[in-house]
Coordinates of all heavy atoms in Angstrom, one line a residue:
A1 N -2.6 -132.1 -49.5 CA -1.2 -131.8 -49.3 C -1.1 -130.9 -48.1 O -1.9 -130.0 -47.9 CB -0.6 -131.2 -50.5
S2 N -0.1 -131.2 -47.3 CA 0.2 -130.4 -46.1 C 0.8 -129.0 -46.4 O 1.7 -128.9 -47.3 CB 1.1 -131.2 -45.1 OG 1.4 -130.3 -44.1
L3 N 0.4 -128.0 -45.7 CA 1.0 -126.7 -45.9 C 2.0 -126.4 -44.8 O 2.5 -125.3 -44.7 CB -0.1 -125.6 -45.8 CG -1.2 -125.7 -46.9 CD1 -2.2 -124.6 -46.7 CD2 -0.5 -125.5 -48.3
A4 N 2.4 -127.5 -44.0 CA 3.4 -127.3 -43.0 C 4.7 -126.8 -43.4 O 5.3 -125.9 -42.8 CB 3.5 -128.6 -42.2
P5 N 5.3 -127.2 -44.6 CA 6.6 -126.7 -45.0 C 6.5 -125.2 -45.3 O 7.4 -124.4 -45.0 CB 6.9 -127.5 -46.2 CG 6.1 -128.7 -46.1 CD 4.9 -128.4 -45.4
I6 N 5.4 -124.8 -45.9 CA 5.2 -123.3 -46.2 C 5.1 -122.5 -44.9 O 5.7 -121.5 -44.8 CB 4.0 -123.1 -47.1 CG1 4.3 -123.8 -48.5 CG2 3.7 -121.6 -47.3 CD1 3.0 -123.8 -49.4
A7 N 4.3 -123.1 -44.0 CA 4.1 -122.4 -42.7 C 5.4 -122.3 -42.0 O 5.7 -121.2 -41.4 CB 3.1 -123.1 -41.9
A8 N 6.2 -123.3 -42.0 CA 7.5 -123.3 -41.4 C 8.4 -122.2 -42.0 O 9.1 -121.5 -41.2 CB 8.2 -124.7 -41.5
R9 N 8.5 -122.1 -43.3 CA 9.3 -121.1 -44.0 C 8.8 -119.7 -43.6 O 9.6 -118.8 -43.3 CB 9.2 -121.2 -45.5 CG 10.2 -122.3 -46.0 CD 10.3 -122.2 -47.5 NE 9.1 -122.3 -48.2 CZ 8.5 -123.5 -48.6 NH1 9.2 -124.6 -48.3 NH2 7.4 -123.5 -49.3
H10 N 7.5 -119.5 -43.5 CA 7.0 -118.2 -43.1 C 7.3 -117.9 -41.7 O 7.6 -116.7 -41.3 CB 5.5 -118.1 -43.3 CG 5.1 -118.0 -44.8 ND1 5.3 -116.8 -45.5 CD2 4.5 -118.9 -45.6 CE1 4.8 -117.0 -46.7 NE2 4.3 -118.2 -46.8
T11 N 7.3 -118.9 -40.8 CA 7.6 -118.7 -39.4 C 9.1 -118.3 -39.3 O 9.4 -117.4 -38.5 CB 7.3 -120.0 -38.6 OG1 5.9 -120.3 -38.7 CG2 7.7 -119.8 -37.2
V12 N 10.0 -118.9 -40.0 CA 11.4 -118.6 -39.9 C 11.6 -117.2 -40.4 O 12.3 -116.4 -39.8 CB 12.2 -119.6 -40.8 CG1 13.6 -119.1 -41.0 CG2 12.2 -121.0 -40.2
R13 N 11.0 -116.8 -41.5 CA 11.1 -115.4 -42.0 C 10.6 -114.4 -41.0 O 11.2 -113.3 -40.7 CB 10.4 -115.2 -43.3 CG 11.1 -115.8 -44.5 CD 10.4 -115.5 -45.8 NE 10.8 -116.4 -46.8 CZ 10.0 -117.1 -47.6 NH1 8.7 -116.9 -47.5 NH2 10.5 -117.9 -48.5
S14 N 9.5 -114.7 -40.3 CA 8.9 -113.8 -39.3 C 9.8 -113.7 -38.1 O 10.0 -112.6 -37.6 CB 7.5 -114.3 -38.9 OG 6.6 -114.3 -39.9
L15 N 10.4 -114.8 -37.7 CA 11.3 -114.8 -36.5 C 12.6 -114.0 -36.9 O 13.1 -113.2 -36.0 CB 11.6 -116.2 -36.1 CG 10.5 -116.9 -35.4 CD1 10.9 -118.4 -35.2 CD2 10.1 -116.2 -34.2
E16 N 13.1 -114.1 -38.1 CA 14.3 -113.3 -38.5 C 13.9 -111.8 -38.5 O 14.8 -111.0 -38.0 CB 14.7 -113.7 -39.9 CG 15.4 -115.1 -39.9 CD 15.6 -115.7 -41.3 OE1 15.2 -115.0 -42.3 OE2 16.3 -116.7 -41.4
A17 N 12.8 -111.4 -39.0 CA 12.4 -110.0 -39.0 C 12.2 -109.5 -37.5 O 12.6 -108.4 -37.2 CB 11.1 -109.9 -39.8
M18 N 11.6 -110.4 -36.7 CA 11.4 -110.0 -35.3 C 12.7 -109.8 -34.6 O 12.9 -108.9 -33.8 CB 10.6 -111.0 -34.6 CG 10.2 -110.7 -33.2 SD 9.2 -109.2 -33.1 CE 7.6 -109.8 -33.7
R19 N 13.7 -110.6 -34.9 CA 15.1 -110.5 -34.3 C 15.7 -109.1 -34.6 O 16.2 -108.4 -33.8 CB 16.0 -111.6 -34.8 CG 17.4 -111.6 -34.3 CD 18.1 -112.8 -34.8 NE 19.5 -112.9 -34.3 CZ 20.6 -112.5 -34.9 NH1 20.5 -111.9 -36.1 NH2 21.7 -112.6 -34.3
S20 N 15.5 -108.7 -35.9 CA 16.0 -107.4 -36.3 C 15.3 -106.3 -35.6 O 15.9 -105.3 -35.2 CB 15.9 -107.3 -37.8 OG 16.8 -108.1 -38.5
L21 N 14.0 -106.5 -35.5 CA 13.2 -105.4 -34.9 C 13.6 -105.3 -33.4 O 13.8 -104.1 -32.9 CB 11.7 -105.8 -35.0 CG 10.7 -104.9 -34.2 CD1 10.7 -103.5 -34.8 CD2 9.4 -105.5 -34.2
V22 N 13.7 -106.3 -32.7 CA 14.0 -106.3 -31.3 C 15.5 -105.7 -31.1 O 15.7 -104.9 -30.2 CB 13.9 -107.6 -30.6 CG1 14.4 -107.6 -29.2 CG2 12.4 -108.1 -30.6
A23 N 16.4 -106.1 -32.0 CA 17.7 -105.6 -31.9 C 17.8 -104.1 -32.2 O 18.5 -103.3 -31.5 CB 18.6 -106.3 -32.9
T24 N 17.0 -103.6 -33.1 CA 16.9 -102.2 -33.4 C 16.3 -101.4 -32.2 O 16.8 -100.4 -31.8 CB 16.0 -102.0 -34.7 OG1 16.5 -102.7 -35.8 CG2 15.9 -100.5 -35.0
E25 N 15.3 -102.0 -31.6 CA 14.7 -101.4 -30.4 C 15.7 -101.3 -29.3 O 15.8 -100.3 -28.5 CB 13.5 -102.2 -29.9 CG 12.3 -102.0 -30.8 CD 11.7 -100.6 -30.8 OE1 11.8 -99.9 -29.7 OE2 11.0 -100.2 -31.7
L26 N 16.6 -102.3 -29.2 CA 17.6 -102.3 -28.1 C 18.6 -101.2 -28.4 O 19.0 -100.5 -27.5 CB 18.3 -103.7 -28.1 CG 19.4 -103.8 -27.0 CD1 18.9 -103.5 -25.6 CD2 20.1 -105.2 -27.1
V27 N 19.0 -101.0 -29.6 CA 20.0 -100.0 -30.0 C 19.4 -98.6 -29.6 O 20.0 -97.8 -29.0 CB 20.3 -100.0 -31.5 CG1 21.1 -98.7 -31.9 CG2 21.2 -101.2 -31.8
V28 N 18.1 -98.4 -30.1 CA 17.5 -97.1 -29.8 C 17.3 -96.9 -28.3 O 17.5 -95.8 -27.8 CB 16.1 -97.1 -30.5 CG1 15.3 -95.9 -30.1 CG2 16.3 -97.1 -32.0
G29 N 16.9 -97.9 -27.6 CA 16.7 -97.8 -26.2 C 17.9 -97.5 -25.4 O 18.0 -96.6 -24.5
V30 N 19.0 -98.1 -25.8 CA 20.3 -97.9 -25.1 C 20.8 -96.5 -25.4 O 21.2 -95.7 -24.5 CB 21.4 -98.9 -25.5 CG1 22.8 -98.5 -25.1 CG2 21.0 -100.3 -24.9
R31 N 20.7 -96.1 -26.6 CA 21.1 -94.7 -27.0 C 20.3 -93.7 -26.3 O 20.8 -92.6 -25.8 CB 21.1 -94.5 -28.5 CG 22.1 -95.3 -29.2 CD 22.1 -95.0 -30.7 NE 22.7 -93.7 -30.9 CZ 23.2 -93.2 -32.1 NH1 23.1 -94.0 -33.1 NH2 23.7 -92.1 -32.2
T32 N 19.0 -93.9 -26.2 CA 18.1 -93.0 -25.5 C 18.4 -92.8 -24.0 O 18.5 -91.7 -23.5 CB 16.6 -93.4 -25.7 OG1 16.3 -93.4 -27.1 CG2 15.7 -92.5 -24.9
L33 N 18.6 -94.0 -23.4 CA 19.0 -94.0 -21.9 C 20.3 -93.3 -21.7 O 20.5 -92.5 -20.7 CB 19.0 -95.4 -21.4 CG 17.6 -96.0 -21.2 CD1 17.7 -97.5 -20.9 CD2 16.8 -95.3 -20.1
L34 N 21.3 -93.5 -22.6 CA 22.6 -92.9 -22.4 C 22.5 -91.4 -22.6 O 23.1 -90.6 -21.8 CB 23.6 -93.5 -23.4 CG 24.1 -94.9 -23.2 CD1 24.9 -95.4 -24.4 CD2 24.8 -95.0 -21.9
M35 N 21.7 -90.9 -23.6 CA 21.5 -89.5 -23.8 C 20.8 -88.9 -22.6 O 21.1 -87.7 -22.3 CB 20.8 -89.3 -25.1 CG 21.6 -89.6 -26.3 SD 20.6 -89.5 -27.8 CE 20.3 -87.8 -27.9
A36 N 19.9 -89.6 -22.0 CA 19.2 -89.0 -20.8 C 19.9 -89.2 -19.5 O 19.5 -88.7 -18.5 CB 17.8 -89.7 -20.7
G37 N 21.1 -89.9 -19.5 CA 21.8 -90.2 -18.3 C 21.1 -91.1 -17.3 O 21.3 -90.9 -16.1
R38 N 20.3 -92.0 -17.9 CA 19.6 -92.9 -17.0 C 19.9 -94.3 -17.2 O 20.5 -94.7 -18.2 CB 18.1 -92.7 -17.3 CG 17.7 -91.2 -16.9 CD 16.2 -91.0 -17.1 NE 15.5 -91.8 -16.1 CZ 14.2 -91.8 -16.0 NH1 13.5 -91.2 -16.9 NH2 13.6 -92.5 -15.1
Q39 N 19.5 -95.2 -16.3 CA 19.6 -96.6 -16.4 C 18.3 -97.3 -16.1 O 17.6 -96.7 -15.3 CB 20.7 -97.2 -15.5 CG 22.1 -96.8 -16.0 CD 23.2 -97.5 -15.2 OE1 22.9 -98.4 -14.4 NE2 24.4 -97.1 -15.3
P40 N 18.1 -98.5 -16.6 CA 16.9 -99.2 -16.2 C 16.9 -99.6 -14.7 O 18.0 -99.8 -14.2 CB 16.9 -100.5 -17.1 CG 17.9 -100.2 -18.1 CD 18.8 -99.2 -17.6
R41 N 15.8 -99.7 -14.1 CA 15.7 -100.0 -12.7 C 15.6 -101.5 -12.4 O 16.1 -102.0 -11.4 CB 14.5 -99.3 -12.0 CG 14.7 -97.8 -12.0 CD 13.7 -97.2 -11.2 NE 13.9 -95.7 -11.1 CZ 13.0 -94.8 -11.3 NH1 11.7 -95.2 -11.4 NH2 13.3 -93.6 -11.2
G42 N 15.0 -102.2 -13.3 CA 14.8 -103.7 -13.1 C 16.1 -104.4 -13.3 O 16.9 -104.1 -14.2
R43 N 16.2 -105.5 -12.5 CA 17.5 -106.3 -12.6 C 17.7 -106.9 -14.0 O 18.8 -106.8 -14.5 CB 17.4 -107.4 -11.5 CG 18.7 -108.2 -11.4 CD 18.7 -109.1 -10.3 NE 17.5 -109.9 -10.3 CZ 17.0 -110.6 -9.3 NH1 17.6 -110.5 -8.2 NH2 15.9 -111.3 -9.4
G44 N 16.7 -107.5 -14.6 CA 16.8 -108.1 -15.9 C 17.1 -107.1 -17.0 O 18.0 -107.3 -17.8
S45 N 16.3 -106.0 -17.0 CA 16.5 -105.0 -18.0 C 17.8 -104.3 -17.8 O 18.5 -103.9 -18.8 CB 15.4 -104.1 -18.1 OG 15.1 -103.5 -16.8
R46 N 18.3 -104.1 -16.6 CA 19.6 -103.5 -16.3 C 20.7 -104.4 -16.8 O 21.7 -103.9 -17.4 CB 19.7 -103.2 -14.8 CG 21.0 -102.4 -14.6 CD 21.2 -102.0 -13.1 NE 19.9 -101.8 -12.4 CZ 19.5 -102.5 -11.3 NH1 20.3 -103.5 -10.9 NH2 18.4 -102.2 -10.7
S47 N 20.6 -105.7 -16.7 CA 21.7 -106.5 -17.1 C 21.8 -106.5 -18.7 O 22.9 -106.5 -19.2 CB 21.6 -108.0 -16.6 OG 20.5 -108.6 -17.2
L48 N 20.6 -106.5 -19.3 CA 20.6 -106.4 -20.8 C 21.2 -105.1 -21.2 O 22.0 -105.0 -22.2 CB 19.2 -106.7 -21.3 CG 19.1 -106.5 -22.9 CD1 20.0 -107.5 -23.6 CD2 17.6 -106.8 -23.3
F49 N 20.7 -104.0 -20.6 CA 21.2 -102.7 -20.9 C 22.8 -102.6 -20.8 O 23.4 -102.1 -21.7 CB 20.6 -101.6 -20.0 CG 21.3 -100.3 -20.0 CD1 21.0 -99.4 -21.1 CD2 22.1 -99.9 -19.0 CE1 21.6 -98.2 -21.1 CE2 22.8 -98.7 -19.1 CZ 22.5 -97.8 -20.1
E50 N 23.3 -103.1 -19.7 CA 24.7 -103.1 -19.5 C 25.5 -103.9 -20.5 O 26.5 -103.5 -21.0 CB 25.1 -103.6 -18.0 CG 24.6 -102.6 -17.0 CD 24.7 -103.2 -15.6 OE1 25.0 -104.4 -15.4 OE2 24.5 -102.4 -14.6
A51 N 24.9 -105.1 -20.9 CA 25.6 -105.9 -21.9 C 25.6 -105.2 -23.2 O 26.6 -105.1 -24.0 CB 24.9 -107.2 -22.0
A52 N 24.5 -104.5 -23.6 CA 24.4 -103.8 -24.9 C 25.2 -102.6 -24.8 O 25.9 -102.3 -25.8 CB 22.9 -103.5 -25.2
R53 N 25.2 -101.8 -23.7 CA 26.0 -100.6 -23.6 C 27.5 -100.9 -23.7 O 28.2 -100.2 -24.4 CB 25.8 -100.0 -22.2 CG 26.6 -98.7 -22.0 CD 26.7 -98.3 -20.5 NE 27.3 -99.4 -19.8 CZ 27.1 -99.7 -18.5 NH1 26.3 -98.9 -17.8 NH2 27.8 -100.7 -17.9
D54 N 27.9 -102.1 -23.2 CA 29.4 -102.4 -23.3 C 29.7 -102.9 -24.7 O 30.9 -102.7 -25.1 CB 29.7 -103.5 -22.3 CG 29.6 -103.1 -20.8 OD1 29.5 -101.8 -20.6 OD2 29.5 -104.0 -19.9
A55 N 28.8 -103.4 -25.4 CA 29.1 -103.9 -26.8 C 28.9 -102.9 -27.9 O 29.6 -102.9 -28.9 CB 28.2 -105.1 -27.1
L56 N 28.0 -101.9 -27.7 CA 27.7 -101.0 -28.7 C 28.7 -99.8 -28.6 O 29.2 -99.4 -27.6 CB 26.3 -100.5 -28.6 CG 25.2 -101.5 -28.9 CD1 23.8 -101.0 -28.4 CD2 25.2 -101.8 -30.4
P57 N 28.9 -99.1 -29.8 CA 29.8 -97.9 -29.8 C 29.1 -96.9 -28.9 O 27.9 -96.7 -28.8 CB 29.8 -97.5 -31.2 CG 29.3 -98.6 -32.0 CD 28.5 -99.5 -31.1
T58 N 30.0 -96.1 -28.2 CA 29.4 -95.1 -27.3 C 29.2 -93.8 -27.9 O 28.5 -92.9 -27.4 CB 30.4 -94.9 -26.1 OG1 31.7 -94.6 -26.6 CG2 30.5 -96.1 -25.2
E59 N 29.8 -93.6 -29.1 CA 29.6 -92.3 -29.8 C 28.2 -92.2 -30.3 O 27.6 -93.2 -30.7 CB 30.6 -92.1 -30.9 CG 30.1 -92.5 -32.2 CD 31.1 -92.4 -33.4 OE1 32.3 -92.8 -33.2 OE2 30.8 -91.8 -34.4
L60 N 27.6 -91.1 -30.2 CA 26.2 -90.9 -30.6 C 26.0 -90.1 -31.8 O 24.9 -89.7 -32.1 CB 25.4 -90.2 -29.4 CG 25.4 -90.9 -28.1 CD1 24.8 -90.1 -27.0 CD2 24.7 -92.3 -28.2
S61 N 27.0 -90.0 -32.6 CA 26.9 -89.3 -33.9 C 26.1 -90.1 -34.9 O 25.9 -91.3 -34.7 CB 28.3 -89.0 -34.5 OG 29.0 -90.2 -34.8
D62 N 25.6 -89.4 -35.9 CA 24.8 -90.1 -37.0 C 25.7 -91.1 -37.7 O 26.9 -90.7 -38.1 CB 24.2 -89.1 -37.9 CG 23.1 -88.3 -37.3 OD1 22.5 -88.8 -36.4 OD2 22.7 -87.3 -37.9
R63 N 25.2 -92.2 -38.0 CA 26.0 -93.2 -38.8 C 25.0 -94.3 -39.2 O 23.9 -94.4 -38.8 CB 27.1 -93.8 -38.0 CG 26.7 -94.6 -36.8 CD 27.9 -95.2 -36.0 NE 27.5 -95.8 -34.8 CZ 27.2 -95.2 -33.7 NH1 27.2 -93.9 -33.6 NH2 26.8 -95.9 -32.6
R64 N 25.5 -95.2 -40.1 CA 24.6 -96.3 -40.5 C 24.4 -97.2 -39.3 O 25.3 -97.5 -38.5 CB 25.3 -97.1 -41.6 CG 25.4 -96.5 -42.9 CD 26.1 -97.3 -44.0 NE 25.8 -98.7 -43.9 CZ 24.9 -99.3 -44.7 NH1 24.2 -98.6 -45.5 NH2 24.7 -100.6 -44.5
V65 N 23.1 -97.6 -39.1 CA 22.8 -98.3 -37.9 C 22.9 -99.8 -38.0 O 22.8 -100.6 -37.1 CB 21.3 -97.9 -37.4 CG1 20.3 -98.5 -38.3 CG2 21.1 -98.3 -36.0
G66 N 23.1 -100.3 -39.3 CA 23.1 -101.8 -39.5 C 24.1 -102.5 -38.7 O 23.8 -103.6 -38.1
D67 N 25.3 -102.0 -38.5 CA 26.3 -102.7 -37.7 C 25.9 -102.7 -36.3 O 26.1 -103.7 -35.6 CB 27.7 -102.0 -37.9 CG 28.3 -102.2 -39.3 OD1 27.8 -103.1 -40.0 OD2 29.1 -101.4 -39.7
D68 N 25.3 -101.6 -35.8 CA 24.9 -101.6 -34.4 C 23.8 -102.6 -34.2 O 23.7 -103.2 -33.1 CB 24.4 -100.2 -34.0 CG 25.5 -99.2 -33.9 OD1 26.7 -99.6 -34.1 OD2 25.2 -98.0 -33.8
V69 N 22.9 -102.7 -35.1 CA 21.8 -103.7 -35.0 C 22.3 -105.1 -34.9 O 21.9 -105.9 -34.1 CB 20.7 -103.5 -36.1 CG1 19.7 -104.7 -36.2 CG2 20.0 -102.2 -36.0
E70 N 23.3 -105.4 -35.8 CA 23.9 -106.8 -35.7 C 24.6 -107.0 -34.4 O 24.5 -108.1 -33.8 CB 24.9 -107.0 -36.9 CG 24.2 -107.2 -38.2 CD 23.2 -108.4 -38.2 OE1 23.6 -109.5 -37.7 OE2 22.1 -108.3 -38.6
T71 N 25.3 -106.0 -33.9 CA 25.9 -106.1 -32.6 C 24.9 -106.4 -31.5 O 25.0 -107.2 -30.6 CB 26.8 -104.9 -32.3 OG1 27.8 -104.7 -33.3 CG2 27.4 -104.9 -30.9
A72 N 23.8 -105.6 -31.6 CA 22.7 -105.8 -30.6 C 22.1 -107.2 -30.7 O 21.7 -107.8 -29.7 CB 21.7 -104.7 -30.7
A73 N 21.9 -107.7 -31.9 CA 21.4 -109.0 -32.1 C 22.3 -110.1 -31.4 O 21.8 -111.0 -30.8 CB 21.1 -109.3 -33.6
A74 N 23.6 -109.9 -31.6 CA 24.5 -110.8 -30.9 C 24.4 -110.7 -29.4 O 24.5 -111.7 -28.7 CB 25.9 -110.5 -31.4
V75 N 24.2 -109.5 -28.9 CA 24.1 -109.3 -27.5 C 22.8 -110.1 -27.0 O 22.8 -110.8 -26.0 CB 24.0 -107.8 -27.1 CG1 23.5 -107.6 -25.7 CG2 25.3 -107.2 -27.3
L76 N 21.7 -109.9 -27.7 CA 20.5 -110.6 -27.4 C 20.6 -112.1 -27.4 O 20.1 -112.8 -26.6 CB 19.4 -110.2 -28.4 CG 18.8 -108.8 -28.2 CD1 18.0 -108.4 -29.4 CD2 18.0 -108.7 -26.9
D77 N 21.4 -112.6 -28.4 CA 21.6 -114.1 -28.5 C 22.3 -114.6 -27.2 O 22.0 -115.6 -26.7 CB 22.4 -114.4 -29.7 CG 21.6 -114.2 -31.0 OD1 20.4 -114.2 -31.0 OD2 22.3 -114.2 -32.1
R78 N 23.4 -113.8 -26.9 CA 24.2 -114.2 -25.7 C 23.3 -114.1 -24.4 O 23.3 -114.9 -23.5 CB 25.4 -113.4 -25.6 CG 26.5 -113.8 -26.5 CD 27.8 -113.1 -26.2 NE 27.7 -111.6 -26.2 CZ 27.9 -110.8 -27.2 NH1 28.1 -111.3 -28.4 NH2 27.8 -109.5 -27.0
W79 N 22.6 -113.0 -24.3 CA 21.8 -112.7 -23.1 C 20.7 -113.7 -22.9 O 20.4 -114.1 -21.8 CB 21.3 -111.2 -23.2 CG 20.6 -110.8 -22.0 CD1 21.2 -110.3 -20.8 CD2 19.2 -110.6 -21.8 NE1 20.2 -110.0 -19.9 CE2 19.0 -110.1 -20.5 CE3 18.1 -110.9 -22.6 CZ2 17.7 -109.9 -20.0 CZ3 16.8 -110.6 -22.1 CH2 16.6 -110.1 -20.8
S80 N 20.1 -114.1 -24.0 CA 18.9 -115.0 -23.9 C 19.4 -116.4 -23.6 O 18.5 -117.2 -23.1 CB 18.1 -115.0 -25.2 OG 18.9 -115.5 -26.3
S81 N 20.6 -116.7 -23.8 CA 21.1 -118.1 -23.5 C 21.7 -118.2 -22.1 O 22.1 -119.3 -21.7 CB 22.1 -118.5 -24.5 OG 23.3 -117.8 -24.5
T82 N 21.7 -117.1 -21.3 CA 22.2 -117.2 -20.0 C 21.1 -117.5 -19.0 O 20.0 -117.3 -19.2 CB 22.9 -115.9 -19.6 OG1 22.0 -114.8 -19.7 CG2 24.1 -115.7 -20.4

């Protein structure tokens, strides 16, 4: 019997987890750069930073990060399809 269906399910779960991880890193990176008053130098990273900065809340107070991660994931989806 082929294990391909099981491997496909595991791959989908892994990709979903990776999407959340990358979105979380984007939130943290944008907040860090804003707090430091800096911007990325590279053209590609700068365009992603600007898209995320424009979409994410600008307030830096403590709050649940889940909504920001979902917003960042949507930014990544749009950015990767351009």
Side-chain angles (χ1 to χ4, degrees):
S2 172
L3 296 177
I6 294 170
R9 279 194 301 275
H10 286 290
T11 300
V12 168
R13 286 187 198 131
S14 294
L15 290 173
E16 289 169 352
M18 187 62 72
R19 180 178 185 262
S20 293
L21 174 68
V22 172
T24 301
E25 289 289 334
L26 180 58
V27 170
V28 171
V30 167
R31 289 184 76 163
T32 300
L33 287 168
L34 289 173
M35 290 172 66
R38 299 183 67 182
Q39 290 191 9
R41 291 188 180 138
R43 184 176 49 202
S45 56
R46 189 177 324 117
S47 70
L48 177 57
F49 168 79
E50 290 170 353
R53 180 197 60 206
D54 293 345
L56 291 167
T58 56
E59 95 179 52
L60 298 175
S61 64
D62 287 339
R63 64 180 174 280
R64 288 179 42 96
V65 74
D67 292 339
D68 291 355
V69 170
E70 284 303 314
T71 299
V75 168
L76 287 166
D77 290 343
R78 287 190 304 273
W79 186 77
S80 66
S81 66
T82 58

